[in-house]
């Protein structure tokens, strides 16, 4: 019988292997056998941790989004005022999305694999909640006009998601990112 520490170490190994596989090849092009082999575990071990390929993908997407939110938080903490910090964290997202694996998992694959309802629920839970708190802080500090937080967050989040999709489709990702940064900064200024 395998020790519980070996079983517990299988989950992170599976998530890393699946992140690489889904991020490079996409959901449809990779098999569970390939992921288990890359993780150095049996397929039975994979099924011990994840009920299906879709379940594994959801865990990978959640982990990727949690990583992104962590990086947003770091950018937020390093900036000045709450509104400047919020803007810095939003623009950090565009840097993250330049990473091919992050872009493929979060922008291309997640909506298709999870379905729009589940995809949005995870976004609401992990990403939008952090954005709501940051926006509320900027309003409380008097840096942007007080108004309903929810529509402001949805507007900014939608713009960031569209920027990510357009960057993914662009022939020149640098030019696309630059153009979106210019427009997002204009939008941020308009919210004051």
């Amino acid at each position: 019988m395998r020790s519980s520490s070996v079983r517990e170490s299988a989950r992170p190994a599976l998530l890393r292997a699946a992140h690489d596989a889904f991020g490079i090849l996409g959901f449809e092009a990779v098999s569970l056998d390939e992921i288990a082999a890359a993780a150095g575990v049996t397929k039975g071990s994979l099924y011990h941790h994840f009920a299906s390929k879709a379940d594994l993908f959801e865990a990978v997407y959640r982990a990727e989004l949690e990583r992104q939110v962590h990086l947003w938080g770091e950018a937020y903490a390093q900036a000045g005022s709450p509104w400047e910090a919020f803007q810095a964290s939003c623009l950090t997202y565009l840097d993250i999305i330049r990473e091919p694996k992050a872009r493929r998992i979060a922008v291309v694959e997640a909506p298709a694999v999870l379905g729009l309802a589940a995809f949005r629920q995870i976004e609401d839970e992990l990403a939008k909640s952090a954005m709501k708190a940051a926006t509320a802080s900027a309003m409380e500090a008097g840096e942007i006009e007080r108004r309903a937080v929810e529509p402001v967050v949805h507007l900014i989040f939608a713009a960031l998601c569209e920027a990510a999709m357009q960057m993914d489709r662009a022939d020149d990702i640098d030019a696309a990112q630059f153009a979106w940064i210019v427009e997002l900064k204009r939008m941020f200024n308009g919210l004051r």
Side-chain angles (χ1 to χ4, degrees):
M1 180 175 194
R2 299 180 90 183
S3 73
S4 63
S5 64
V6 170
R7 281 191 304 258
E8 290 169 12
S9 69
R11 184 178 173 89
L14 285 162
L15 287 172
R16 282 190 302 276
H19 184 277
D20 286 344
F22 293 144
I24 295 168
L25 302 172
F27 181 79
E28 290 297 327
V30 67
S31 72
L32 291 177
D33 290 324
E34 292 167 320
I35 292 170
V41 302
T42 65
K43 196 168 176 183
S45 179
L46 186 150
Y47 280 117
H48 172 76
H49 294 283
F50 303 101
S52 65
K53 186 175 168 183
D55 186 41
L56 174 58
F57 181 85
E58 181 178 334
V60 166
Y61 174 61
R62 283 181 175 277
E64 174 59 32
L65 199 52
E66 287 168 355
R67 180 186 77 89
Q68 291 179 18
V69 169
H70 175 77
L71 293 172
W72 301 347
E74 287 180 352
Y76 187 91
Q78 294 173 8
S81 70
W83 186 235
E84 290 168 349
F86 178 73
Q87 291 176 72
S89 64
C90 288
L91 296 179
T92 294
Y93 174 68
L94 299 186
D95 288 332
I96 295 166
I97 288 303
R98 291 178 59 85
E99 301 168 18
K101 290 177 194 174
R103 193 167 61 247
R104 180 135 199 192
I105 290 167
V107 176
V108 177
E109 299 287 341
V113 173
L114 302 173
L116 195 54
F119 172 67
R120 289 226 166 133
Q121 179 187 359
I122 294 168
E123 283 181 334
D124 287 347
E125 176 188 330
L126 299 176
K128 288 182 192 164
S129 60
M131 291 180 77
K132 287 176 191 173
T135 303
S137 291
M139 288 179 187
E140 289 169 17
E143 294 185 286
I144 60 173
E145 178 185 328
R146 284 191 182 272
R147 53 167 102 38
V149 171
E150 194 86 17
V152 173
V153 168
H154 282 275
L155 175 68
I156 295 169
F157 194 79
L160 290 170
C161 291
E162 185 63 25
M165 286 188 289
Q166 294 303 317
M167 286 172 60
D168 180 60
R169 295 180 186 139
D171 292 331
D172 183 345
I173 197 167
D174 294 327
Q177 181 182 16
F178 178 79
W180 276 97
I181 288 172
V182 168
E183 294 308 319
L184 285 166
K185 286 182 176 180
R186 287 180 179 152
M187 184 177 73
F188 292 143
N189 287 334
L191 291 171
R192 296 196 101 173

